[in-house]
Amino acid sequence: MGTIPNGAHRYELCRLTDLTDESLGALVELERLVHRESAHYDDRPWDLENFTRPLPGKQELSLVVMESGKPVGFLVASSRPDGVHVNRVAVDPRHRGMGVAAWLIARLFAQSSGTVTINCDPGNQPAIALYTRAGFRVRGTTPAGKLLLSTDPLIPVEKLCVWYVFTTAGMRSGHAAHVPGFVDTLSHTCRATAVRYGDPTELPPLRLSLDWVRAFLRLAARARREGVDVIFVRIHWKLAALLWLAGRMGGGWRVALWSSGGVGVLSGARLGLRARAGRLVHRQVLRRMVDAVVTGPPRLIDQYAGRYGLGRDRMLLACNDVNGEALRTLTDGPELAWGPVVRRWLKSPHRFLYVHSLDAIRGADRLPRLLAEIRTDLPDAEVLVLGDGPLFSRLAPEPVLMAGRVPNDVVVRVMAQAGCLLVPSRQEGFPRVLVEAMAVGTPCVSFDVGGCADVMGELRDRYVAPDGDLERMAELAVAAARTPLPEAARTALVQRAAVFDTEPVASALAVTLRSLRSQGAGPAALLSRSLWRPAFPRRND
């Protein structure tokens, strides 16, 4: 069901019904250990009969966290007519503070609807704090003196109505080309609709005009008719703020703004008055004029907290997605009629690739020096550049090969022919191009900026260089491309990309947005981080 690589620990999640008799015995021993070590447990620990006693929904809802085949935490739950009751939660004292209990609760919420209830000793303050962050509220006390806590009702995920708003400009540039497919997959989990901002038939580009105001009001009226619960806005913060205001003025929906990236200007750049004012308004929108900011991977949450003064209880963790199977299918298509630049690149035994905007933020100006460093070890290496931007004319006379912008399907075909993808960015958010390269089995090296190291996960020591260290990046790139990639290394890349496959990303987003609608930003933030914890191992550095 999932794995958490956590420093020296590797946790696996399974259902209670999947345990062997031997593991059930170990679960009883864990229960006794927790009982001995806790001053807030029941008078008597559970025995084997308590774990195996049939209750409605118990087999499907109850979860166990294992390490090396032994249980280190568990959650036993059963269904009720109006929801779910948590009968027991326990974590081995040696594994507390590792996110085990939060993971268990998040996975329970992901498969539950209605009201979730739990009883807790009033003296167990750490547990009460966790349950409160997860959305539980004290509703009273039991006859035995325990606190009775419950959540607000969680609407069934399949009934959640989500609008996913993205720009048609992103479709033209290729940055949002994957969105329609993602929304289609999202619609398998909840009631999801793609709304194209910039499309005259839905909402034209923002401008101060009466016609635009009328179009916006028509869109808001449509959202009310359709009973929209959450509007997910991709990147466009001004539109997100307006939709948030409309929601407050009778719409009733919540607005989540996806924002994942760097500051957008180089360090030391001087901004004009208009740009500074825009950044100030942007900061206020993120802090006050959306219900939640959605970002990822985890390092971006830390960066946004520092950069914009955002509380972590307002930031939901989500991921970019790729359809790995579809990308690999593209690589098996008929041979393309490559242009002369690509043909020259294909003749090199050591092929490197850059795919991005040609600007300083993405590090395009670093490519000539990076190629020079690579050629000290691989004299016949070539770097092919796919994309355009302000540095195109500056790079054209350089030794890199400039092919300009090409369609996305062609990019994938070229990527599969590369020995290594280069991502020398000075700033990054959640670099989808890294996941695309891994999905087709192509090594990719980057600097440790933005979310690059998080995306690479346990592969980062092999593929992520210290920020700005061109020599180290060249070393990693040479090591990746010097000889044909071993099958085990290629498989590791494909498996890492599969973590961000469209289906699990869409499923996690639906559950997170359901929590935002039913419980608010704080519980949704905890749930989203807990759901994604298996994908992002903790490091001690």
Side-chain angles (χ1 to χ4, degrees), residues 37-59:
E37 297 290 331
S38 175
H40 307 292
Y41 223 53
D42 290 348
D43 293 338
R44 296 179 58 187
W46 277 10
D47 56 23
L48 182 60
E49 181 184 356
N50 294 105
F51 286 103
T52 58
R53 179 183 300 146
L55 291 171
K58 181 178 178 180
Q59 297 300 313

Side-chain angles (χ1 to χ4, degrees), residues 70-92:
K70 295 182 178 180
V72 298
F74 64 85
L75 181 152
V76 177
S78 55
S79 59
R80 291 183 171 180
D82 62 344
V84 172
H85 179 66
V86 179
N87 304 88
R88 203 75 148 188
V89 180
V91 176
D92 188 320

Side-chain angles (χ1 to χ4, degrees), residues 138-213:
V138 176
R139 311 295 185 182
T141 57
T142 69
K146 296 291 185 72
L147 296 178
L148 173 60
L149 300 95
S150 68
T151 66
D152 291 331
L154 301 171
I155 65 173
V157 176
E158 61 271 17
K159 293 185 178 180
L160 181 75
C161 184
V162 175
W163 272 11
Y164 192 116
V165 181
F166 67 103
T167 68
T168 54
M171 289 292 292
R172 291 192 296 272
S173 68
H175 289 106
H178 67 288
V179 169
F182 178 80
V183 177
D184 180 65
T185 302
L186 186 64
S187 69
H188 301 162
T189 303
C190 64
R191 296 163 52 208
T193 301
V195 177
R196 291 169 170 80
Y197 167 67
D199 185 336
T201 64
E202 293 195 303
L203 186 65
L206 177 62
R207 59 173 57 92
L208 295 176
S209 71
L210 188 57
D211 286 342
W212 192 90
V213 172

